[in-house]
């Protein structure tokens, strides 16, 4: 039988499997029994979890482009490898660094300024070059390997196509247990990093893994779009008139979604935003934001349409339910 990393194509082996079977597969992948020379299986799982709400529904499952998955993957590893200098591979007697670490370090040393920047701050052309190199290597060695570890149940893929298709069973499972899977993935990843790095480098390694996913720092473009589309300029939660210090708030907390999309943004006064913190709004607000999004979907603005590409009716309702199941409390 061909080794997983050498696979070029793989169909979904079975479309209907129960939660117990899926848990057993994830637990195997997180265990020491699953062979791993580096951390990249954890990185791909993280990219899938972070991308759950941006895929496109098909007859077989949820489709994600390799470009999208490995752009997230590259950004995470840029911080881990360049910012925190954490090694990602077991020593093999031949090379100290994996291919992806080599790609990132070579890019960082090509320009003295690059190593000081967050990945999102790098020039777009240069950033795309790095993502393309990482994507090519991950397609060759990671996609098939993770597929094989999940016995062919998790997704269908073709390395000559544009992306992979996550099974509906796995998609629903990963939504339902998103918080638990993120914690298990981080823990297993951290254990691996502790084995291949010096002690002084792995202090607070869980925090470093969490912080490896950068949060967009400037949401001002969304503030202006929302103000333009809804001229009353009031707080979504309390209805008070907003001043210049209006906040752009993630309706479903960023800690759960790990993404910045207009359909999940509302304008809030500072008081309500601070009170809401890392909580979901009470269910009555779901009706308001769903009605609001129906209006936004009629816009001809390119930025708005781009953010709504993967949005479907009922998406926020599902996210609200899954966030609550994950332990996120309610804001009233």
């Amino acid at each position: 039988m061909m080794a997983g990393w050498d696979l070029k194509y793989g169909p979904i082996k079975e479309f209907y499997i129960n939660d117990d079977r899926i848990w057993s597969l994830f637990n195997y992948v997180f265990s020491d029994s699953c062979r791993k020379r580096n951390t990249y299986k954890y990185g791909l799982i993280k990219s899938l979890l972070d991308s759950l709400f941006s895929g496109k529904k098909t007859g077989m499952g949820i489709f994600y482009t390799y470009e999208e998955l490995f752009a997230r993957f590259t950004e995470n590893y840029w911080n881990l490898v360049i910012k925190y200098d954490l090694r990602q591979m077991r020593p093999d007697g031949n090379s100290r660094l994996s291919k992806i670490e080599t790609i990132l370090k070579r890019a960082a040393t090509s320009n003295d300024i690059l190593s000081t920047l967050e990945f999102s701050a790098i020039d777009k052309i240069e950033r795309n070059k790095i993502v393309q190199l990482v994507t090519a290597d991950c397609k060759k060695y990671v996609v098939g390997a993770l597929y094989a570890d999940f016995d062919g149940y998790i997704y269908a893929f073709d390395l000559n196509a544009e992306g992979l298709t996550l099974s509906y069973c796995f998609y629903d499972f990963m939504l339902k247990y998103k918080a638990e899977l993120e914690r298990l993935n981080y823990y297993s990843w951290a254990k691996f990093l502790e084995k291949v790095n010096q002690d002084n480098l792995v202090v607070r390694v869980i925090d470093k893994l969490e912080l490896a996913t950068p949060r967009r720092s400037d949401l001002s473009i969304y503030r202006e779009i929302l103000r333009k589309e809804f001229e009353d300029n009031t707080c979504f939660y309390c209805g008070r008139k907003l001043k210049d210090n209006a906040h752009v708030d993630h309706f479903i907390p960023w800690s759960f979604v790990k993404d910045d999309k207009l359909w999940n943004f509302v304008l809030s006064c500072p008081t309500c935003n601070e009170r809401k913190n890392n909580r979901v709004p009470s269910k009555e607000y779901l009706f308001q934001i769903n009605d609001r999004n129906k209006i936004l979907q009629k816009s001809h603005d390119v930025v708005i349409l781009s953010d709504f590409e993967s949005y479907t009716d009922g998406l926020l309702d599902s996210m609200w339910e899954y966030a609550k199941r994950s332990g996120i409390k309610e804001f009233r």
Side-chain angles (χ1 to χ4, degrees), residues 178-194:
K178 187 171 187 290
E180 292 88 340
L181 290 169
E182 284 177 340
R183 284 193 288 267
L184 286 168
N185 196 45
Y186 280 154
Y187 176 72
S188 303
W189 197 341
K191 280 205 316 179
F192 188 99
L193 290 175
E194 287 173 352

Side-chain angles (χ1 to χ4, degrees), residues 84-275:
Y84 299 129
D85 197 27
L86 287 168
R87 290 182 58 191
Q88 303 296 318
M89 186 181 79
R90 297 181 191 276
D92 63 0
N94 297 316
S95 174
R96 178 177 173 275
L97 300 174
S98 65
K99 179 68 178 297
I100 291 170
E101 288 173 276
T102 302
I103 291 169
L104 298 179
K105 286 184 176 289
R106 188 175 293 154
T109 56
S110 67
N111 184 318
D112 292 339
I113 298 175
L114 287 185
S115 62
T116 66
L117 297 177
E118 294 286 343
F119 191 72
S120 58
I122 297 173
D123 174 76
K124 186 176 181 180
I125 295 176
E126 182 63 30
R127 199 167 66 232
N128 288 342
K129 287 180 182 177
I130 299 170
V131 170
Q132 286 173 11
L133 290 171
V134 171
T135 300
D137 195 69
C138 286
K139 283 173 65 178
K140 187 174 182 180
Y141 294 111
V142 184
V143 175
L146 190 66
Y147 169 87
D149 287 342
F150 279 98
D151 293 343
Y153 292 110
I154 186 168
Y155 50 65
F157 77 98
D158 182 342
L159 296 186
N160 292 320
E162 293 185 0
L164 56 81
T165 301
L166 187 66
S167 156
Y168 274 119
C169 281
F170 271 82
Y171 175 71
D172 290 339
F173 181 91
M174 291 167 79
L175 283 175
K176 192 187 305 182
Y177 300 109
K178 187 171 187 290
E180 292 88 340
L181 290 169
E182 284 177 340
R183 284 193 288 267
L184 286 168
N185 196 45
Y186 280 154
Y187 176 72
S188 303
W189 197 341
K191 280 205 316 179
F192 188 99
L193 290 175
E194 287 173 352
K195 292 176 182 177
V196 300
N197 285 276
Q198 299 173 2
D199 289 344
N200 62 319
L201 293 177
V202 296
V203 175
R204 299 180 68 84
V205 71
I206 294 291
D207 289 344
K208 289 176 180 176
L209 284 168
E210 178 65 37
L211 292 170
T213 303
R215 182 171 180 172
R216 183 181 292 154
S217 57
D218 183 10
L219 300 178
S220 58
I221 183 174
Y222 293 100
R223 183 186 300 113
E224 297 313 311
I225 288 173
L226 290 170
R227 276 182 157 155
K228 178 183 174 183
E229 295 294 325
F230 305 100
E231 296 177 359
D232 57 354
N233 197 29
T234 56
C235 173
F236 182 82
Y237 300 111
C238 71
R240 294 192 186 96
K241 286 288 183 182
L242 294 170
K243 299 180 181 178
D244 291 338
N245 61 345
H247 288 193
V248 178
D249 176 58
H250 290 78
F251 182 83
I252 305 295
W254 184 89
S255 63
F256 182 76
V257 180
K258 296 288 196 307
D259 207 352
D260 294 318
K261 296 294 183 185
L262 184 58
W263 45 260
N264 190 42
F265 284 141
V266 296
L267 288 182
S268 169
C269 67
T271 301
C272 284
N273 194 32
E274 288 164 13
R275 282 183 55 231

